[in-house]
Amino acid sequence: MSKVFCDISTSLDGYVTGLNQRLDAPFGDGPARAELHRWALEAAEENAVERERVIDAGAFIMGRNMFDPHRGAWDPEWTGWWGAEPPYHGPVFVLTHHERDDLVMDGGTTFHFVTGGITEALDRAKAAAGDRWVSIAGGASTANQYLGAGLVDELRLHIAPYVLGAGERLFTGVRPFGLTPVEVRHTAATTHVRYVIGS
Amino acid sequence: MSKVFCDISTSLDGYVTGLNQRLDAPFGDGPARAELHRWALEAAEENAVERERVIDAGAFIMGRNMFDPHRGAWDPEWTGWWGAEPPYHGPVFVLTHHERDDLVMDGGTTFHFVTGGITEALDRAKAAAGDRWVSIAGGASTANQYLGAGLVDELRLHIAPYVLGAGERLFTGVRPFGLTPVEVRHTAATTHVRYVIGS
């Protein structure tokens, strides 16, 4: 059976993005993109193992706001942030309230728009992933819904050495739970910690 | 010149204590004491290096609520949580609005009650510490005041593999700032990360 991971970069104070995400600032106000994702953007070679794991999944689930932060104005022509050939190279299930036909991109990525909620998205993602893992790709709200429902097996955090001060937090609204750290690796740009959920 | 560290245990979601700290529950509601401090309480040998560093300082500063969580009812006879011989073995400056004579304990610990605010407490602690470091011992509010004022040189976090869900957070009210991680060590009960403040 396919397992589920959530792989996400956070500030030291627990934010995964700044406030006011929007089309011209998809990571919101402040330096969230530069500071939280420096390990992947600027220190790619040193962090190659963790970078490759982010997209090593048989299927992906993301929130509508990660796919398309149009702030309420659904754009039926929007094809995502990732250009003609997104890095997923597999099925991506987008949680949304808007019906839309599948969107087939170059290189094997297809966006499927799921209106039936997180359980339907996970069922479809697991069926599509086969023996491979399912990735909860983000953003904060989607990660928190799956964490809160107890549907995530492994949490991979990349904790940036930066206090952001405001934004969208990981773990908001989630009930207490224990984890078991299974791997820690430190580079200058981040601290990678991999946790199995459950203590 | 004496440098300043803050050494503090947090949950994975950034809480350093539960809500409603009080005399019969000094870590507040929930399992904050057991989960956040397991590394020091139950895995003391494995974490001996980090445990010893907590109290390796020439002077300490703590908030009134850490010394005495009587929730507003100042008890002039209260001598702290630590018995006749507290583990500090040096001067401890307690931030308070209540004047009180110095309280001399066994083993070299003296509690000094400082009514002039965080700068006065730090000046007095640095003068007392000589060449040794000053520790900002907690709790969250005191740590955040010193972090927010840019008065801390080194932050040592012990990040427990537990999501607490509610409590008092580190970094509340602090403006954005960068840090440089200088040491990471992982044990089963916690992830120790030592940061120099500044990027």
Side-chain angles (χ1 to χ4, degrees):
Chain A
M1 185 64 171
S2 184
K3 286 195 168 187
V4 179
F5 72 80
C6 178
D7 189 308
I8 202 156
S9 298
T10 87
S11 67
L12 189 56
D13 50 344
Y15 295 107
V16 302
T17 187
L19 290 173
N20 301 314
Q21 286 175 279
R22 56 198 182 274
L23 203 58
D24 61 346
F27 289 82
D29 299 333
R33 182 173 184 275
E35 295 292 348
L36 275 55
H37 297 270
R38 173 162 292 137
W39 69 275
L41 297 169
E42 294 177 23
E45 202 163 318
E46 189 184 7
N47 296 286
V49 170
E50 289 81 7
R51 278 190 94 212
E52 282 163 24
R53 283 183 188 160
V54 174
I55 50 168
D56 183 9
F60 300 83
I61 296 172
M62 67 174 63
R64 175 263 165 96
N65 206 44
M66 178 167 169
F67 176 75
D68 173 14
H70 275 80
R71 312 194 76 179
W74 177 251
D75 176 354
E77 304 299 316
W78 180 256
T79 58
W81 297 101
W82 302 274
E85 186 174 338
Y88 301 107
H89 307 296
V92 179
F93 295 88
V94 180
L95 295 161
T96 174
H97 298 294
H98 299 268
E99 302 273 357
R100 182 170 167 182
D101 290 340
D102 292 352
L103 173 62
V104 180
M105 308 295 289
D106 293 344
T109 297
T110 297
F111 293 106
H112 304 276
F113 300 89
V114 180
T115 56
I118 64 168
T119 307
E120 182 191 320
L122 186 57
D123 288 345
R124 291 178 61 183
K126 284 192 170 187
D131 291 336
R132 299 183 70 196
W133 288 57
V134 170
S135 161
I136 308 298
S141 166
T142 298
N144 290 338
Q145 287 180 65
Y146 281 99
L147 287 167
L151 295 171
V152 178
D153 298 292
E154 187 169 302
L155 178 64
R156 303 173 190 164
L157 293 185
H158 314 284
I159 304 172
Y162 192 82
V163 171
L164 194 61
E168 301 286 336
R169 280 189 197 278
L170 194 64
F171 301 123
T172 295
V174 171
R175 279 171 302 187
F177 65 95
L179 307 90
T180 303
V182 291
E183 187 181 0
V184 176
R185 197 173 79 89
H186 172 61
T187 69
T190 200
T191 302
H192 305 285
V193 192
R194 192 160 62 86
Y195 295 97
V196 170
I197 292 184
S199 54
Chain B
M1 183 64 170
S2 183
K3 287 195 168 186
V4 179
F5 71 81
C6 179
D7 189 308
I8 202 156
S9 298
T10 87
S11 67
L12 189 57
D13 50 345
Y15 296 107
V16 302
T17 187
L19 290 173
N20 301 315
Q21 287 175 277
R22 55 197 184 273
L23 203 57
D24 61 346
F27 288 83
D29 299 332
R33 181 172 183 274
E35 295 291 350
L36 276 55
H37 297 271
R38 173 163 291 138
W39 68 276
L41 296 169
E42 293 178 23
E45 201 164 317
E46 190 183 7
N47 297 285
V49 170
E50 289 81 7
R51 278 190 94 214
E52 283 162 23
R53 283 183 187 159
V54 174
I55 50 168
D56 183 10
F60 300 83
I61 296 172
M62 67 174 63
R64 174 263 165 98
N65 205 45
M66 179 167 169
F67 176 75
D68 173 15
H70 275 80
R71 312 195 77 179
W74 178 252
D75 176 355
E77 304 299 316
W78 180 255
T79 58
W81 296 100
W82 302 274
E85 186 173 338
Y88 301 107
H89 308 294
V92 180
F93 296 88
V94 180
L95 295 161
T96 174
H97 298 295
H98 299 267
E99 302 274 356
R100 180 168 168 181
D101 290 341
D102 291 353
L103 173 61
V104 180
M105 307 296 288
D106 294 344
T109 298
T110 297
F111 292 106
H112 304 277
F113 300 89
V114 180
T115 57
I118 65 168
T119 307
E120 183 192 318
L122 185 57
D123 288 345
R124 291 179 61 184
K126 284 192 171 187
D131 291 338
R132 299 183 71 196
W133 288 57
V134 170
S135 161
I136 309 299
S141 166
T142 297
N144 289 338
Q145 287 180 64
Y146 281 100
L147 287 166
L151 295 171
V152 178
D153 298 292
E154 187 169 303
L155 178 63
R156 303 173 190 163
L157 294 185
H158 314 283
I159 304 172
Y162 192 82
V163 172
L164 193 61
E168 301 286 337
R169 279 189 197 279
L170 195 64
F171 302 123
T172 295
V174 171
R175 278 172 302 187
F177 65 94
L179 307 92
T180 303
V182 290
E183 188 181 359
V184 176
R185 197 172 81 88
H186 172 60
T187 69
T190 199
T191 302
H192 305 286
V193 192
R194 192 160 63 86
Y195 295 96
V196 170
I197 292 184
S199 54

